[in-house]
Amino acid sequence: MDLDVLTKGKTLSANEMQMIDYLVSNTDEIDGRPLREIAKTIYTSPASIVRLAQKLGFSGYTEFFFFLKNQLKHQQITEATIDYQIDTTSIDEMIASIQRIYANNTDKFITIYATGFSGIIAEYLHKKMLVNGIKTLLVSASDSGGIISNNIENISMLITISKSGETPKVIEKMALAQTHHIPTILFCGNGEHSANQLATYSFEVTDERPFDTQNIEYSSFFGKLLLLMEYIVDVFTTTEKTPHD
């Protein structure tokens, strides 16, 4: 059972990790036993176990144990079963470079900018990174332009999303980042476009409807984009971040 599912993004003491390990490893044995008895077995107090459960995001011990017994206990996901169906070999080097930028700028924000339908994907990426403990700032077209320009010194990198690669506001923000020597990561459709010329790193997703700017027709672009982002965040958070000079 992968304890990262429970502890990712949390700061836990060695004692708390030991409590989790015991509860995870002995769900069958402790099922139905009073909390006070369980606490005595691991030399702690019932209150400590309740506080731990709340720290992990549960309302209390009962909800925590239900989760262990009915979800994590039967989880069979392994690395072998995860199939992203993307050519990871072509992008892993870029991800490693982005990790190095992040590792050397942990005091700054990764800023994400997108508009329209891409803005929905940007919000998902923002939340996905936050729950993994990555400091991010989400900016949309409806926000003040000064959010980025007035905080430029606090931005480690700019992530932008543009299906067409020609979104004027996206290009504007990328140009601003380039002026201030801030690395820019672009997620876009395949082909040559203006945004590509400004990107430090570009992740292209095949777009079978490049001229459907209103996203009216069927398109697998955003679905594949989400899958790509899931892979990148997974690699980003499971690979040790080591600062490089």
Side-chain angles (χ1 to χ4, degrees):
M1 188 180 295
D2 188 357
L3 293 184
D4 284 345
V5 176
L6 282 174
T7 62
K8 184 173 285 186
K10 309 292 193 309
T11 302
L12 301 171
S13 67
N15 185 51
E16 288 172 326
M17 288 300 299
Q18 289 175 357
M19 283 194 284
I20 293 174
D21 185 61
Y22 175 82
L23 295 172
V24 168
S25 302
N26 297 276
T27 44
D28 289 334
E29 291 79 357
I30 64 178
D31 191 7
R33 289 173 58 189
L35 179 57
R36 185 175 300 276
E37 184 180 323
I38 297 170
K40 184 177 180 180
T41 302
I42 52 178
Y43 304 102
T44 189
S45 67
S48 294
I49 297 178
V50 172
R51 284 195 296 270
L52 172 62
Q54 293 173 339
K55 192 172 185 179
L56 294 172
F58 301 97
S59 60
Y61 170 73
T62 300
E63 184 182 358
F64 180 27
F65 181 74
F66 179 85
F67 178 77
L68 293 178
K69 180 181 176 182
N70 296 285
Q71 296 190 46
L72 275 184
K73 183 173 177 60
H74 302 293
Q75 188 176 43
Q76 299 298 323
I77 297 177
T78 64
E79 290 299 320
T81 63
I82 298 176
D83 183 7
Y84 292 99
Q85 296 182 336
I86 55 179
D87 181 11
T88 60
T89 57
S90 65
I91 62 175
D92 282 347
E93 187 174 336
M94 285 196 294
I95 298 173
S97 297
I98 295 169
Q99 282 180 303
R100 287 192 287 272
I101 296 171
Y102 172 71
N104 287 314
N105 295 275
T106 54
D107 58 325
K108 297 183 178 181
F109 284 92
I110 294 177
T111 300
I112 306 172
Y113 182 83
T115 66
F117 282 94
S118 295
I120 299 172
I121 306 299
E123 184 177 355
Y124 179 86
L125 178 62
H126 171 59
K127 291 181 178 179
K128 186 75 176 183
M129 296 178 81
L130 282 180
V131 299
N132 279 284
I134 302 171
K135 187 188 298 183
T136 60
L137 174 67
L138 175 64
V139 183
S140 67
S142 62
D143 293 320
S144 168
I147 291 180
I148 292 180
S149 59
N150 293 337
N151 292 279
I152 204 76
E153 299 300 323
N154 297 315
I155 297 174
S156 61
M157 68 185 83
L158 175 68
I159 296 177
T160 58
I161 307 170
S162 174
K163 180 174 178 289
S164 67
E166 299 292 345
T167 310
K169 287 184 177 295
V170 168
I171 293 173
E172 174 188 308
K173 301 299 185 295
M174 293 178 71
L176 176 65
Q178 187 181 70
T179 299
H180 290 271
H181 308 290
I182 295 173
T184 302
I185 293 85
L186 170 68
F187 291 93
C188 60
N190 53 298
E192 289 297 323
H193 22 65
S194 302
N196 260 332
Q197 308 305 314
L198 295 167
T200 310
Y201 303 103
S202 182
F203 295 92
E204 293 190 1
V205 176
T206 303
D207 180 12
E208 67 271 73
R209 297 283 191 275
F211 303 110
D212 182 18
T213 58
Q214 300 300 312
N215 197 30
I216 296 173
E217 303 294 332
Y218 165 83
S219 173
S220 63
F221 174 79
F222 291 109
K224 289 181 291 192
L225 178 57
L226 275 175
L227 195 61
L228 173 62
M229 288 179 171
E230 286 285 351
Y231 174 76
I232 292 174
V233 173
D234 182 46
V235 174
F236 199 87
T237 56
T238 55
T239 305
E240 183 179 0
K241 308 176 189 70
T242 304
H244 288 245
D245 295 329

